Amino acid sequence: MNESVTLLLLRHLFPHWSITLDGDVWRASGRMLISSSHLEGLLDLLHVADPAAVERAAGLLEEA
């Protein structure tokens, strides 16, 4: 998936987080600032930081 499409999807799925891609670093700021050099790492950190948001996102994806 294209990085700009991925950003749009993540911003839709996690509306309480500000998610950006700065160079090669994925960042999300919300209750805290998290970052990872890989998208998968960012998603893992989001799950730890805000498990309820991940559950909501998974529910939205299941509905689609």
Side-chain angles (χ1 to χ4, degrees):
M1 187 181 302
N2 166 320
E3 290 174 344
S4 41
V5 173
T6 302
L7 273 172
L8 287 171
L9 178 60
L10 289 173
R11 290 172 179 165
H12 175 74
L13 293 173
F14 299 96
H16 301 302
W17 289 85
S18 174
I19 300 175
T20 60
L21 177 60
D22 300 320
D24 291 332
V25 179
W26 291 90
R27 288 191 171 86
S29 60
R31 296 179 189 175
M32 63 184 68
L33 176 64
I34 56 177
S35 62
S36 176
S37 58
H38 301 282
L39 177 58
E40 294 81 10
L42 182 75
L43 293 173
D44 288 341
L45 292 170
L46 274 170
H47 187 255
V48 171
D50 194 352
V54 174
E55 288 178 26
R56 282 191 306 273
L60 288 172
L61 291 171
E62 287 175 356
E63 290 176 10

